[in-house]
Amino acid sequence: MGLSSGQPVHARHRDGPGGEHDRGKTPRFGAGRVSAGLIALFLGAPAAADTLRLATFSPALSRPGPGLLLAALQKGDDPQISAVVDLIVATKPDVLLLTDFDWDYRAEALGALQAQLAGQGCDYPFAFAPQPNTGVETGFDIDGNGRLAEPRDAQGYGQFTGQHGMALLSKRPMRADQARDFSTFLWRDLPGSQLPQAQLPEGAAQVQRLATTAVWDVPVQAGAGGLHLWAYAATTPVFDGPEDRNGRRNADETGFWLRYLNGDLPQQPTAPFAILGLANLDPDRGEGRREAMRKLLDDPRLQDPKPTAPDAPSSHPLATADFGGAIGPLRLDYILPAAGLRVLGAGTAGNPQASKHRLVWVDLALP
């Protein structure tokens, strides 16, 4: 499942390499804010609609060293991996965002997973998986413990480059030439950034990226005009000190989408769209600056399908993860379509043997 060239995988059909990113060619739907009116105009109602099932899932397909996930996939006897595959096959999303999935240079682990899914009749011939920020060295002692080049000193926590990465799999073609990868966007450049209170070492703000893992805007061919997938995986808002560096960064990673919607960034937003990924932030409970999630959920340009399932935790029906302990289940994984899109259904699916996270899915009707 490797590439026919030695170039890093950005986006590809499973049988060969795809194109590089081209941030400058993304079509702009409007010159400023993406309003509900603009989205509704773009989606004006033809007789037939294309149904698309989106899903986001954090399958815990990360291992403590490079190549270990690939080896486990190739060996084929890992019960956790089998449970992950079974859950995906049972849900059958058209487009699937995987978070907490180890990246490698030739996307061999991702190709091995694609092969396993295809072997069970769930074929994802298209993939998008640029190098994430996890494990990429900053050159600074970010955590202030007097040692360099440790996992907490990286752009995003990782024992090696690509640990806890993310990837998009799709049954529909994705437009890699029109994708935007915001993963190198600097935290200091976010309007209203909380970086000044995060107390980074002197000089680190010049290189510290906002995204822990990655932030993408990827168009997928669906309906008459396509759909832009705004994908991300944010840091956990814990494992820091009184400066609350991770909590501030987590809030800003989710807040990025509101700045993008507002037209506050050099690149203008795109429509129609759906935000999906691992926010690692519950709006009502647990650690973190929960107001950031509430602001996103309350924005009238978005809609919350509130996915749940009969086997979801009764104490928190919208929860998507459960790590045990006193806090209980948390809602950490989201799919938030633009307000003008028609939602046909939504739900979650879980298997404790696969992951502590539930798979979240939403069905959309696209004209």
Side-chain angles (χ1 to χ4, degrees), residues 57 59-60 80 83-84 87 311 322 349-358:
F57 183 35
Q80 188 251 336
V84 167
L87 189 58
D311 64 339
D322 191 348
N351 180 344
Q353 189 175 15
S355 174
K356 294 179 180 179
H357 288 256
R358 297 177 67 84

Side-chain angles (χ1 to χ4, degrees), residues 204-360:
Q206 309 299 318
V207 301
Q208 179 65 72
R209 300 171 183 178
L210 172 63
T212 305
T213 309
V215 176
W216 303 330
D217 176 346
V218 184
V220 62
Q221 292 183 18
L227 179 71
H228 283 258
L229 306 174
W230 295 5
Y232 79 126
T235 187
T236 54
V238 292
F239 307 119
D240 52 17
E243 78 289 341
D244 194 23
R245 184 181 297 119
N246 290 340
R248 296 177 189 279
R249 188 179 184 187
N250 171 274
D252 278 351
E253 287 182 273
T254 287
F256 173 90
W257 297 120
L258 292 180
R259 312 301 198 283
Y260 194 34
L261 273 167
N262 291 342
D264 294 338
L265 305 178
Q267 299 87 350
Q268 295 301 306
T270 46
F273 66 90
I275 299 172
L276 70 165
L278 175 62
N280 262 321
L281 190 62
D282 188 297
D284 300 311
R285 59 171 71 180
E287 299 288 340
R289 296 173 174 259
R290 297 190 292 271
E291 66 277 7
M293 197 70 240
R294 289 196 290 265
K295 285 181 181 178
L296 193 67
L297 293 172
D298 291 342
D299 193 286
R301 295 165 294 184
L302 303 170
Q303 57 181 311
D304 181 7
K306 297 183 177 179
T308 188
D311 64 339
S314 58
S315 62
H316 192 354
L318 299 181
T320 66
D322 191 348
F323 302 101
I327 295 175
L330 297 168
R331 188 182 186 190
L332 304 180
D333 311 79
Y334 298 82
I335 300 178
L336 304 175
L341 292 170
R342 184 156 62 99
V343 174
L344 301 177
T348 65
N351 180 344
Q353 189 175 15
S355 174
K356 294 179 180 179
H357 288 256
R358 297 177 67 84
L359 182 150
V360 179

Side-chain angles (χ1 to χ4, degrees), residues 60-109:
L61 290 182
S62 184
R63 300 295 184 264
L68 296 182
L69 176 61
L70 174 61
L73 284 160
Q74 290 175 333
K75 193 173 181 182
D77 61 356
D78 187 310
Q80 188 251 336
I81 292 176
S82 297
V84 167
V85 169
D86 289 346
L87 189 58
I88 295 170
V89 170
T91 313
K92 293 182 173 61
D94 295 301
V95 182
L96 171 64
L97 175 66
L98 295 171
T99 60
D100 197 10
F101 185 94
D102 286 348
W103 174 93
D104 62 80
Y105 184 76
R106 295 182 181 274
E108 291 179 292

Side-chain angles (χ1 to χ4, degrees), residues 131-153:
Q131 179 179 309
N133 287 337
T134 50
V136 175
E137 292 188 15
T138 62
F140 289 87
D141 179 17
I142 299 295
D143 63 0
N145 69 353
R147 297 187 295 271
L148 293 173
E150 293 185 323
R152 298 189 194 284
D153 299 322

